[in-house]
Amino acid sequence: MNTLPVIDESRSELEAIFKDLHAHPEIGFTETRTAAIVAEKLRDYGVDEVHEGVGQTGVVALIRGKGDGNRRVGLRADMDALPIHEETGLDYASTSPGVMHACGHDGHTTMLLGAAKHLAKTRDFSGTAVLIFQPAEEGLGGARGMLADGLFERFPCDEVYGMHNWPNGEPGKFGIVKGAAMAGASFFDIHIKGKGSHGAMPQDSRDPLIVASALVGQIQTIVSRNVAPLDACVVSVTQIHSGSAYNVVPDTATLAGTIRYFKDDVCALAEARMQALCDGIAAAFDVEIRLELRNIFNVLKNDADLSDAYMEAASDIVGEDNVIERAEPVTGSEDFADMLRVVPGAYCTLGHLGTVPVHNPGYVLDPGILPVGASILARIVERRLAPAA
């Protein structure tokens, strides 16, 4: 790996930052400690401007190159953790019970700090690097919060880039999908109000658990019998909550889950069918059913030309053999998509030695990949803002 010199010399520092962030995870919009560390490090590195509190707990920094160019390139990293109890056994494991960096955002933050250190010290570019440390990526709307706070009006960017670690056992393997790369997502909550009774006298009830069970089965027909086979869509019920005693038929039940999609009309179809099923089953069982739907993630779409530019920058660091243009998108979601709807850019994956999937209590990000990710991020700025010959 051809990691950049300033970053390579900072390996120990980057690993220490990463381990500290990992041991002190913070849920979205509560990343006050993380944001403070980020701001402190950025000032230590000599960036030109540091702006805190963007989109509540976000941080934005500006680094101006040696030249007089007017173009601006954005780099974005997410900072938040997940409500998961860590089970890795690491000596730097989470010290916050029930909260864990199970998606590697601690690593992403560290990579962007590494890129900041290199760019601030070398300034071998013409224009401005805009570093965006985003809160609340995990379904809480952090990107939309920064945009609502005037992110790109206050800190204009001509293009913007993001990165996500990929625990595939292949350190340094850089992957990108041109066009639609990650799914959009709507979350749903279904509230069922029936009639409770004694568990020994169910004839007196309108059992919401029976209704919920029927609804779970019917929801599976949305994709199998409504969505065209060549249009990707995933509808998953991920929560059922009801009851509090062995001998009581409860009054209420709730279901929750997610719809993943790559076309807006497919999402609209799935949402309409879910509403129709709720209405029909409510009538059939003589209960009340209320459906709540909310769009959380847009489809992430990579600009084709900027994807090529990203691959070229990555090739400088990991070599051409480790750069792959992937054909298939993934059904996971990422709110960097919201930024890409405003400013063109690209989002990649970077493999590392870990093999436990993200959002798992045993997930571990290999810290050896930190200088690699940092170098790729810095390199795309240097390439896209190269001084005129």
Side-chain angles (χ1 to χ4, degrees):
M1 301 293 171
N2 299 314
T3 50
L4 300 174
V6 172
I7 295 170
D8 195 54
E9 294 166 4
S10 304
R11 284 176 177 269
S12 296
E13 179 191 1
L14 294 179
E15 186 167 338
I17 293 170
F18 163 70
K19 289 181 176 180
D20 178 66
L21 295 178
H22 188 88
H24 301 92
E26 296 172 302
I27 296 294
F29 293 127
T30 69
E31 308 96 335
T32 54
R33 181 183 186 274
T34 303
I37 290 172
V38 166
E40 179 184 10
K41 290 293 181 181
L42 291 169
R43 292 187 176 100
D44 287 346
Y45 298 155
V47 306
D48 296 292
E49 297 180 26
V50 178
H51 300 264
E52 300 178 70
V54 182
Q56 295 191 44
T57 47
V59 179
V60 178
L62 304 181
I63 304 173
R64 299 182 182 91
K66 294 176 182 176
D68 296 326
N70 294 321
R71 298 191 70 253
R72 294 182 169 215
V73 170
L75 302 176
R76 173 270 198 181
D78 37 20
M79 301 188 294
D80 58 321
L82 282 158
I84 293 176
H85 184 74
E86 183 163 354
E87 298 177 2
T88 62
L90 295 168
D91 59 6
Y92 55 91
S94 171
T95 58
S96 301
V99 183
M100 174 192 176
H101 270 296
C103 201
H105 296 184
D106 46 355
H108 304 162
T109 298
T110 304
M111 291 175 188
L112 188 49
L113 284 173
K117 185 174 184 178
H118 170 86
L119 294 170
K121 184 171 183 178
T122 61
R123 299 181 187 262
D124 190 18
F125 57 95
S126 179
T128 303
V130 181
L131 280 53
I132 303 165
F133 294 84
Q134 181 206 305
E137 189 279 331
E138 295 289 357
L140 296 176
R144 293 178 185 180
M146 293 192 86
L147 291 169
D149 201 12
L151 174 64
F152 290 129
E153 291 80 17
R154 297 164 62 186
F155 314 104
C157 293
D158 295 288
E159 53 200 66
V160 63
Y161 298 87
M163 176 180 291
H164 203 291
N165 76 93
W166 202 251
N168 60 0
E170 299 181 274
K173 188 71 73 174
F174 177 100
I176 201 164
V177 178
K178 294 181 181 178
M182 298 186 75
S186 285
F187 289 3
F188 61 84
D189 293 277
I190 301 173
H191 304 274
I192 303 167
K193 180 173 175 51
K195 179 183 177 183
S197 74
H198 194 293
M201 303 171 191
Q203 72 276 11
D204 295 330
S205 75
R206 291 195 296 275
D207 189 345
L209 282 168
I210 296 295
V211 177
S213 299
L215 195 51
V216 170
Q218 289 301 309
I219 284 173
Q220 303 312 307
T221 68
I222 291 175
V223 174
S224 66
R225 290 299 179 268
N226 295 273
V227 177
L230 297 182
D231 285 334
C233 184
V234 180
V235 180
S236 296
V237 178
T238 57
Q239 300 180 51
I240 301 178
H241 303 284
S242 186
S244 58
Y246 287 97
N247 60 348
V248 176
V249 175
D251 284 309
T252 62
T254 60
L255 306 175
T258 179
I259 301 169
R260 307 283 171 150
Y261 62 93
F262 290 96
K263 297 179 179 178
D264 290 344
D265 60 340
V266 171
C267 180
L269 170 63
E271 291 181 349
R273 288 303 303 147
M274 186 173 291
Q275 183 65 67
L277 287 171
C278 288
D279 293 343
I281 288 178
F285 286 91
D286 191 22
V287 298
E288 297 176 17
I289 299 179
R290 177 169 53 89
L291 172 63
E292 294 179 358
L293 285 159
R294 56 193 186 281
N295 178 264
I296 302 297
F297 300 101
N298 287 303
V299 178
L300 188 148
K301 297 179 180 179
N302 283 329
D303 181 275
D305 292 337
L306 299 184
S307 295
D308 285 335
Y310 213 177
M311 288 190 285
E312 291 170 2
S315 295
D316 292 346
I317 307 303
V318 301
E320 291 185 8
D321 291 345
N322 279 318
V323 174
I324 300 172
E325 180 184 339
R326 302 188 187 279
E328 298 295 329
V330 298
T331 50
S333 301
E334 162 61 62
D335 80 352
F336 185 57
D338 294 306
M339 295 188 186
L340 292 180
R341 286 168 71 95
V342 181
V343 174
Y347 188 76
C348 73
T349 59
L350 183 64
H352 59 87
L353 285 174
T355 54
V356 176
V358 296
H359 291 222
N360 183 293
Y363 161 84
V364 176
L365 186 146
D366 168 28
I369 206 65
L370 300 173
V372 180
S375 295
I376 293 172
L377 291 172
R379 191 68 182 125
I380 187 64
V381 170
E382 292 176 337
R383 272 183 164 269
R384 299 301 294 170
L385 297 179

